[in-house]
Structures are given as C-alpha cells and as structure tokens.
Amino acid sequence: MKEQFQARMLRIHFGENDKWQGKPLHEAIVAKAMELSLGEAIVYRGIEGFGSSTRIHHSSHWTFSSDAPIMVSIIDTEEQIARLVPQLDAMVVDGLIASSSVEVIRYSRAS
C-alpha cells in the first residue's frame, strides 16, 4: 500500500556525550517521541562534524573516548511535531534543531 502526505521533519543535532536526566540524549528523545506517539524517529551516529563551538566531534575506533556527532530525525504531522518541540526545548542544551516541510511517501504491506 502507498500513502502520500505532507509532514514536518525535525533533525536534532548534538554530541554523543550529551545526556538528559542521566540517560543518553538520543535515547531520551526517542523515548519521548514514542511516548507522544510520533510516527518515525531514527538516530544517526556521524563520523565527524562540528557545531557552534567549532570543536571537531568525531568517532574513533582507536580511542575509548569520543563525542561523535548524533542526529535524530523525526517525521510526523505538523500537529504532532508541535507537541514535541516544547519537550526538546528542555532537553537539548547544546545543539541545533532544523525543521522542514516534507512530502512523505509511505509504503506498507496490506493487512
């Protein structure tokens, strides 16, 4: 089955070492998205990047300490995303959130 609709996509960028209430921030964001019944959330771990601090964040196989860049992508309706944003205001201390309108094409198996 194919379904098409307009939606909103958030991309939340921060460092792997960021936490929310003692839990990795990416886990806390995904848990909050699930709690709010949002449609889609995916966590990406980057190889390298930098943000407003201009400090290079990178992933390394050779060291035990890193602060790899993390991006959480969340897609749902405008209304659902609007419910999440106030939660993110409290959770994301150092990062960037990009928001954009997207055309979604969802494929699913017929029930």
Side-chain angles (χ1 to χ4, degrees):
M1 184 164 71
K2 180 179 175 181
E3 175 187 15
Q4 289 184 257
F5 56 94
Q6 290 293 316
R8 170 91 20 211
M9 177 170 53
L10 291 183
R11 290 184 179 134
I12 307 144
H13 300 258
F14 51 91
E16 183 176 36
N17 292 338
D18 291 353
K19 306 268 188 239
W20 171 250
Q21 298 181 342
K23 186 180 199 179
L25 182 56
H26 68 276
E27 289 180 15
I29 291 171
V30 169
K32 183 54 72 175
M34 285 185 70
E35 177 185 317
L36 295 173
S37 300
L38 272 76
E40 178 85 20
I42 299 173
V43 177
Y44 299 93
R45 185 173 189 259
I47 296 170
E48 186 172 57
F50 70 92
S52 60
S53 70
T54 66
R55 187 172 69 84
I56 299 284
H57 299 264
H58 61 90
S59 170
S60 174
H61 298 291
W62 308 113
T63 62
F64 292 107
S65 64
S66 70
D67 189 20
I70 299 288
M71 181 182 74
V72 179
S73 177
I74 300 174
I75 300 172
D76 207 321
T77 64
E78 190 89 35
E79 296 77 23
Q80 284 290 86
I81 293 295
R83 294 176 54 222
L84 177 64
V85 171
Q87 307 295 320
L88 296 174
D89 288 342
M91 299 169 88
V92 179
V93 174
D94 186 19
L96 176 121
I97 298 175
S99 175
S100 56
S101 294
V102 293
E103 173 75 21
V104 173
I105 303 171
R106 182 184 337 206
Y107 297 95
S108 60
R109 294 186 178 129
S111 305

